[in-house]
Amino acid sequence: MSHVITLLPGDGIGPEVTASVVAIIECAGVDIEWEKYFVGSEAISRYGDPLPPEVLESILRNKVALKGPVTTPVGTGFASINVRLRKALDLYANLRPVKSMPNIITRYENVDVIVVRENTEDLYSGLEHEVVPGVVESLKIITERASTRIARFAFEYARTHGRKKVTAVHKANIMKMSDGLFLQCFRNVAKEYPNIEADDKIIDNLCMQLVVNPNQFDVLLLENLYGDIVSDLVAGLVGGLGVVAGANIGENGAVFEAVHGSAPDIAGQNKANPLALLQSAVLMLHHIGEGRAAQRVQDAIVKVLASGPEQRTRDIGGTGTTADFTAAMCEALRKGTRAGD
Ligand code: NAI
């Protein structure tokens, strides 16, 4: 079956890692017609807008996009296109599965945690003002509607992926109304899922517990700001932003993206690691019903990382290039493909 997917290569190392991932998906035998659009600096110079309306229309039509990193220009008045995409498409759930991988040396083994972050409100509502000179106010918005739908997303994810426990993370002991509402919505939704354990942790304790023993956690559910911080902390447990997947999901569509930036220091040098975007593409393949191909790519990643350093890029201790990794992945996929797959 053929799929039509919006492709946003982005800038910096974006085009390199995107080209690699597109090639690997082709090697996995998935038939995708890519609708490619410029976003970011390239779109500013061509159309005067880093996120032209055709891009949103394409994602709304196709329901799925794969996106490389995009430089956020400083001091130009243009808002981050990541934030604009999330708002315009109401991509309310940020999903980050974090799992230990072979030959990526870290302090912890067998980490396997899913971070679910609410993407639309909290202190990210952009409601800030100066009350009097020297005093500013930033509003934290928490609603029953958004808290309930993100809690349901987390439990549904747990149910459909065989996960056993969802832990809500909060500071309801201090922010009794806002975090209290988030926690209450979580507890209400939890009653609909009697087969999944539901517990909660105060954010500061969670951070300590994560670095002492990350293996005690399964699915973590967080508001926007705590989620932003903790999702990077958890990525650090398995090797950092260069190796983990990210997706922003809503009723209108889903955008699968690398969580690292555009790495201008290494752009165009064949040094970029496509692994993070590839992990996001694995999530995307699951999302579009290509679970078997997703599994083949996942198996090939494990195989390639477990083999020689010349097949891995330098940021994860290898000696290889972007092209070496891509070639090794395609080779592993060719060898790993079983008849009938
Ligand atoms: P960055 O993630 O681009 O780079 C930080 C360091 O990690 C650099 O040394 C870079 O070479 C390295 N690195 C990052 N990704 C890598 C990869 N795939 N392979 C090998 N090395 C990699 O963060 P930075 O420098 O803070 O941001 C650069 C630009 O990216 C900024 O304009 C920022 O706004 C933007 N950005 C975009 C994001 C997105 O589109 N999702 C996310 C984060 C930042």
Side-chain angles (χ1 to χ4, degrees):
M1 179 189 166
S2 178
H3 307 272
V4 185
I5 292 179
T6 306
L7 183 67
L8 312 174
D11 50 33
I13 59 169
E16 293 165 77
V17 290
T18 310
S20 164
V21 169
V22 166
I24 292 166
I25 291 176
E26 200 179 324
C27 291
V30 185
D31 188 8
I32 295 178
E33 182 191 321
W34 300 99
E35 280 184 12
K36 188 168 159 183
Y37 291 92
F38 293 108
V39 290
S41 53
E42 189 67 34
I44 294 175
S45 55
R46 284 170 185 252
Y47 316 112
D49 182 355
L51 186 62
E54 303 85 81
V55 176
L56 292 177
E57 285 159 21
S58 170
I59 301 174
L60 284 169
R61 195 169 52 244
N62 300 329
K63 303 280 182 217
V64 182
L66 182 66
K67 178 186 154 296
V70 179
T71 305
T72 299
V74 179
T76 61
F78 287 113
S80 150
I81 82 143
N82 300 315
V83 174
R84 277 181 66 192
L85 267 175
R86 285 172 205 172
K87 280 200 172 145
L89 300 169
D90 193 24
L91 304 174
Y92 66 87
N94 182 284
L95 178 68
R96 187 176 294 178
V98 176
K99 202 165 190 261
S100 301
M101 282 187 291
N103 263 345
I104 296 185
I105 310 298
T106 59
R107 288 169 192 269
Y108 307 93
E109 287 179 0
N110 304 319
V111 175
D112 185 4
V113 179
I114 308 293
V115 182
V116 175
R117 163 187 170 195
E118 205 288 324
N119 241 351
T120 65
E121 53 181 32
D122 189 10
L123 280 161
Y124 288 58
S125 305
L127 299 172
E128 288 191 317
H129 63 276
E130 188 175 57
V131 182
V132 291
V135 180
V136 294
E137 199 168 51
S138 183
L139 299 182
K140 170 166 171 149
I141 308 293
I142 298 293
T143 66
E144 184 178 345
R145 174 178 170 270
S147 303
T148 301
R149 74 175 174 174
I150 196 67
R152 191 159 283 123
F153 180 95
F155 279 100
E156 272 303 306
Y157 184 93
R159 187 180 66 76
T160 53
H161 291 79
R163 314 292 300 212
K164 305 265 177 295
K165 182 170 76 169
V166 180
T167 302
V169 182
H170 60 88
K171 190 80 184 172
N173 53 331
I174 303 296
M175 279 163 281
K176 295 182 192 301
M177 291 191 74
S178 52
D179 284 18
L181 176 60
F182 184 81
L183 184 58
Q184 190 51 52
C185 294
F186 165 77
R187 287 182 175 149
N188 292 345
V189 172
K191 289 184 196 136
E192 299 168 23
Y193 297 85
N195 298 328
I196 298 169
E197 189 186 338
D199 69 355
D200 66 274
K201 286 263 178 298
I202 292 176
I203 177 75
D204 36 344
N205 180 25
L206 173 93
C207 291
M208 190 268 289
Q209 300 277 348
L210 270 172
V211 296
V212 170
N213 174 18
N215 303 77
Q216 62 185 297
F217 296 108
D218 192 345
V219 178
L220 297 177
L221 169 66
L222 306 98
E223 293 169 10
N224 207 344
L225 177 62
Y226 306 147
D228 190 3
I229 299 165
V230 168
S231 58
D232 279 14
L233 188 161
V234 177
L237 301 175
V238 301
L241 299 185
V243 300
V244 297
N248 293 297
I249 301 174
E251 307 302 329
N252 301 317
V255 177
F256 296 84
E257 65 178 352
V259 295
H260 56 71
S262 56
D265 53 330
I266 57 164
Q269 298 171 35
N270 200 14
K271 288 180 180 167
N273 186 357
L275 188 54
L277 189 64
L278 185 59
Q279 299 274 29
S280 305
V282 168
L283 279 187
M284 183 191 78
L285 291 175
H286 280 293
H287 184 82
I288 63 173
E290 294 282 357
R292 293 174 76 180
Q295 192 55 54
R296 284 208 307 277
V297 175
Q298 195 67 64
D299 293 347
I301 292 174
V302 170
K303 213 182 278 177
V304 168
L305 292 182
S307 57
E310 62 284 357
Q311 306 197 334
R312 273 177 281 132
T313 48
R314 290 174 188 275
D315 58 300
I316 50 171
T319 57
T321 62
T322 312
D324 293 332
F325 175 78
T326 312
M329 279 297 301
C330 280
E331 183 62 17
L333 280 162
R334 266 191 288 275
K335 284 187 181 153
T337 303
R338 296 181 302 274
D341 272 2

